[in-house]
């Protein structure tokens, strides 16, 4: 079992030797220096830690930089101020390693008078109460020690870079269907003064950050697709592949897409389907039929299935190479501020993703847009800009349409259902 321990660090020279000296054998300490002026980074290096420099100030910025720098399967987060004992990290790691939970938070138990100031403890109790009500998870503490699998955390697309990061992680994990629990650990008096609850400014900023996270409900995820029936899907893959093979590839692409979106925080997942669902459909998806009409009309109707008071984000079944982080990051509470729409261009001139902060706008934006042309994306984008929408542009992706584009996409995701199947199927004709 490989474990990296992320230690956000701002002027912790006093505590670092004790903290690093009690790290479990074989686990790597990733100290993220967030602008220390007391030599913390040099001390950490001398003690054998892997040091990452994160110049952007903020607890969330340091934590996320450590997450991205980590390479182990399981990642822990822990304050490195001496208030938590690294020897107890196994309490949050063991349930994750055993497959019993996906995210484990430490429930702190003070070991000495003054370890946990009353005002901070009361605020934490109220926050934990709200978390239980929102997520249903049995939480009593938003503990700064926690553990999860790295890939599951990256797929959450966490966007807060200040004090809201720990709260966002829990809410996003719940919205992505992760199993969340807690484990008791001791809580000692910290070395030095807290940068958050130790100052009035820090306390106010933490409250503001957490309120912003709590006020942003998770989005609706929409997938528009056809039932993978031979002769009805991926017809441009023939004659390189038979109609039956093309349908199997379409099914694999759809299954990959749905599985990826299962890892993304969402209030609801809706499959807008032409046909009937099959064994490729995971649980938790609401299936609704497509309406009659052209693709422009069907896309607009898909957005009409979403809640009007939360953003809706739609993708098709032609881009199985999407990742959870690619979708989740621009939809995080911090990233969506000031954004009215999300536009993901496709290499063929269309689009692989469309998101709307107000889903009802689809009724005026989409009807009449020429579909399946090399100007589809251009026309839609010009309509959004003419409507005064602030559009966030996403990376360009290649749709799976032809044998050539299937080759390109399969090369990017060889371990996926689609990639493995494309490589395994024999070529009929080119």
């Amino acid at each position: 079992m490989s474990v990296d321990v992320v230690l956000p660090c701002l002027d912790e020279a006093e505590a670092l030797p004790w903290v690093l000296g009690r790290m479990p054998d074989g686990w790597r300490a990733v100290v993220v220096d967030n602008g220390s002026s007391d030599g913390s980074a040099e001390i950490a290096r001398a003690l054998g830690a892997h040091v990452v420099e994160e110049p952007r100030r903020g607890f969330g910025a340091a934590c996320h930089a450590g997450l991205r720098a980590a390479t182990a399967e399981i990642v822990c987060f822990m304050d490195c101020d001496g208030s938590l004992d690294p020897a107890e990290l196994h309490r949050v790691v063991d349930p994750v390693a055993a497959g019993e939970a996906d995210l484990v938070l430490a429930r702190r138990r003070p070991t000495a008078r003054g370890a946990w100031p009353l005002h901070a403890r009361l605020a934490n109790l109220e926050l934990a109460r709200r978390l239980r009500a929102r997520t249903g998870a049995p939480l009593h503490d938003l503990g700064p020690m926690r553990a999860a699998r790295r890939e599951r955390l990256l797929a959450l697309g966490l966007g807060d870079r200040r004090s809201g990061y720990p709260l966002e992680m829990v809410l996003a994990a719940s919205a992505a269907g992760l199993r969340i629990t807690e484990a008791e650990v001791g809580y000692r008096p910290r070395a030095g003064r807290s940068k958050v609850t130790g100052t009035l400014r820090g306390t106010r900023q933490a409250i503001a950050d957490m309120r912003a996270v709590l006020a942003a409900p998770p989005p609706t995820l929409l997938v528009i697709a056809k039932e993978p029936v031979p002769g009805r899907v991926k017809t441009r893959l023939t004659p390189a592949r038979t109609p039956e093979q093309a349908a199997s590839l379409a099914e694999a692409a759809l299954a990959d897409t749905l599985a990826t979106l299962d890892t993304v925080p969402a209030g609801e997942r809706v499959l807008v389907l032409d046909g009937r669902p099959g064994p490729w459909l995971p649980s938790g998806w609401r299936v609704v039929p497509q309406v009659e009409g052209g693709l422009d009309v069907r896309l607009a109707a898909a957005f009409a299935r979403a809640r009007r008071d939360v953003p809706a984000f739609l993708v098709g079944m032609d881009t199985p190479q999407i990742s959870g982080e690619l979708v989740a990051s621009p939809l995080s509470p911090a990233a969506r501020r000031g954004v009215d729409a999300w536009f993901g261009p496709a290499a063929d001139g269309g689009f692989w993703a469309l998101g709307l902060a107000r889903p009802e706008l689809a009724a005026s934006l989409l009807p009449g847009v020429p579909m399946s042309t090399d100007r589809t994306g251009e026309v839609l984008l010009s309509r959004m800009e003419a409507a005064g929408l602030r559009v966030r542009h996403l990376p360009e992706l290649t749709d799976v349409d032809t044998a050539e584009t299937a080759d390109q996409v399969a090369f990017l995701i060889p371990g996926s259902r689609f990639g493995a199947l494309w490589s395994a199927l024999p070529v009929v004709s080119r």
Side-chain angles (χ1 to χ4, degrees), residues 138-264:
L139 298 177
H140 301 83
D141 186 4
L142 190 65
M145 179 191 284
R146 53 187 62 191
R149 295 187 186 276
R150 180 176 183 269
E151 293 305 316
R152 299 300 300 270
L153 291 177
L154 287 173
L156 300 179
L158 303 175
D160 191 282
R161 295 296 181 261
R162 297 190 300 201
S163 301
Y165 189 87
L167 174 61
E168 183 187 5
M169 183 185 293
V170 175
L171 292 175
S174 175
L178 272 65
R179 298 164 298 166
I180 307 171
T181 188
E182 63 183 10
E184 289 191 7
V185 301
Y187 195 47
R188 302 155 36 93
R190 58 160 292 137
R193 186 178 66 167
S194 169
K195 284 78 175 177
V196 179
T197 58
T199 67
L200 181 59
R201 178 181 179 183
T203 300
R204 286 176 174 171
Q205 186 64 67
I207 292 172
D209 292 343
M210 292 183 183
R211 280 178 175 169
V213 171
L214 286 167
T220 300
L221 297 179
L222 301 166
V223 174
I224 188 163
K226 288 182 180 179
E227 180 187 359
V229 174
R232 295 193 65 234
V233 291
K234 298 297 169 213
T235 55
R236 293 170 64 190
L237 290 180
T238 57
R241 300 294 188 272
T242 67
E244 290 74 20
Q245 291 173 339
S248 295
L249 288 162
E251 179 177 327
L254 178 55
D256 282 337
T257 300
L258 296 175
T260 294
L261 294 181
D262 262 348
T263 70
V264 174

Side-chain angles (χ1 to χ4, degrees), residues 27-83:
W27 294 14
R28 186 176 70 148
V30 180
V31 174
V32 185
D33 188 65
N34 204 206
S36 299
S37 59
D38 67 349
S40 290
E42 291 74 17
I43 292 172
R45 287 191 184 94
L47 293 170
H50 177 70
V51 177
V52 176
E53 304 285 349
E54 174 49 68
R56 180 179 176 181
R57 285 292 183 92
F59 181 77
C63 287
H64 206 69
L67 175 61
R68 300 209 67 86
T71 57
E73 180 182 0
I74 295 177
V75 175
C76 306
F77 298 86
M78 193 187 80
D79 288 349
C80 64
D81 56 14
S83 60

Side-chain angles (χ1 to χ4, degrees), residues 365-383:
L365 289 172
L366 285 163
V369 173
M371 293 289 160
S372 302
T373 76
D374 59 3
R375 295 188 62 248
T376 298
E378 176 187 345
V379 172
L380 177 58
L381 188 58
S382 66
R383 283 194 177 192

Side-chain angles (χ1 to χ4, degrees), residues 1-5 22-29 72 74:
M1 176 181 62
S2 60
V3 179
D4 281 346
V5 183
R22 294 183 63 79
M23 201 63 57
D25 290 341
W27 294 14
R28 186 176 70 148
I74 295 177

